[in-house]
Amino acid sequence: RRLLDLRNAIDRPWMAPLLAGSWAGKGLRLRLGEYVGALSRLYAGIRAVSGADVVVDSSKIATHALILRQIPGVDLSVVHLVRDSRGVAFSWQRQVVRKDSTRRLDHIRRYGPASAALRYLLYNRLTESLPRLELPYLRLRYEDLVASPHVHLKRIVRRFGIDPREGLPFLDDGSVVLGEDHTVDGNPMRFQRGRVPLRLDEEWRTGMRAVQRHLVTAIPSPLLAAYGYPVRT
């Protein structure tokens, strides 16, 4: 409960200026130190048990990266995976039952078009700011990754100094073989195991109402253009 309270107080987008700077007050510094200490022990345990040199943390909010970079001994790199805002907004409107819930029936949080568009702007702008803190950074489009996973996964590992000569044995034509991981939250597809087909999810093209599409195109249009997506609906 204590760690959840710390996370809810610290690991939030509006805390980014304080986490990135050096002007946090004493109270925040104490809470941040406690939270960083807990994460430090967690990551040390992950490395000790797994023997892995690289840990993939699938967290999505840039403030988590700002916290992780304060852990002694962690060599942090960032992969910024972006997607067309219309696909993101459409996905956030779906009613999806959570498989990780401790309650009888719970759903993943949903956002309306305006809220989704603003969050898209905020989350991506914050993540784009991470290279200013001299963090190794690579941006990649979801659509490109699904279309050519071998190419882009090798690009990722090369970018961060990992030798890709062993190949990517979990990938084959049109599917990926997923083993055990330790995901604790998120879309149910994150919990799948075994062979999973890779396919581009573009249901938004036919399933999204025109007024919603216009809204989630207009608000983040500068980012769409920068990421190479069409800004016409």
Side-chain angles (χ1 to χ4, degrees), residues 14-224:
W14 51 85
M15 297 296 293
L18 294 177
L19 294 172
S22 57
W23 52 83
K26 181 179 179 180
L28 176 58
R29 290 199 303 271
L30 288 174
R31 286 182 293 173
L32 182 58
E34 182 180 355
Y35 192 51
V36 168
L39 289 177
S40 178
R41 295 190 296 274
L42 172 63
Y43 274 78
I46 290 171
R47 181 169 188 181
V49 171
S50 68
D53 292 324
V54 178
V55 176
V56 178
D57 187 321
S58 58
S59 302
K60 296 180 179 180
I61 300 179
T63 46
H64 191 65
L66 296 176
I67 294 168
L68 293 184
R69 75 186 183 109
Q70 301 189 40
I71 299 177
V74 167
D75 182 11
L76 182 66
S77 300
V78 177
V79 178
H80 182 190
L81 186 64
V82 301
R83 185 184 179 187
D84 191 308
S85 63
R86 289 150 291 205
V88 173
F90 187 77
S91 178
W92 273 341
Q93 292 178 52
R94 289 173 171 151
Q95 185 162 316
V96 179
V97 176
R98 296 173 62 110
K99 290 188 176 181
D100 56 327
S101 176
T102 56
R103 290 180 280 181
R104 181 169 297 179
L105 182 64
D106 194 10
H107 295 86
I108 292 178
R109 183 175 296 176
R110 302 166 69 191
Y111 301 105
S115 176
L118 291 170
R119 287 173 183 274
Y120 184 92
L121 267 177
L122 174 62
Y123 293 165
N124 284 295
R125 285 297 193 199
L126 285 176
T127 307
E128 285 182 348
S129 70
L130 294 175
R132 299 174 191 170
L133 302 174
E134 300 183 351
L135 288 175
Y137 169 95
L138 175 68
R139 188 171 70 213
L140 175 62
R141 300 198 322 172
Y142 152 80
E143 294 83 359
D144 297 333
L145 176 62
V146 174
S148 303
H150 279 93
V151 171
H152 292 290
L153 287 178
K154 286 183 178 180
R155 176 186 167 210
I156 290 171
V157 297
R158 287 194 185 100
R159 171 67 178 81
F160 300 124
I162 304 168
D163 189 346
R165 286 182 296 180
E166 295 183 4
L168 304 169
F170 53 89
L171 278 176
D172 58 24
D173 292 336
S175 66
V176 58
V177 179
L178 299 180
E180 290 296 322
D181 62 37
H182 298 278
T183 297
V184 296
D185 185 24
N187 192 295
M189 68 179 61
R190 286 177 169 231
F191 300 92
Q192 294 183 32
R193 300 289 180 271
R195 189 170 300 279
V196 178
L198 291 173
R199 62 177 182 83
L200 193 61
D201 179 5
E202 292 199 309
E203 186 182 346
W204 63 270
R205 294 187 181 276
T206 56
M208 179 176 277
R209 291 186 295 169
V211 64
Q212 295 177 336
R213 185 181 300 189
H214 289 309
L215 187 61
V216 299
T217 301
I219 293 176
S221 57
L223 281 184
L224 289 177

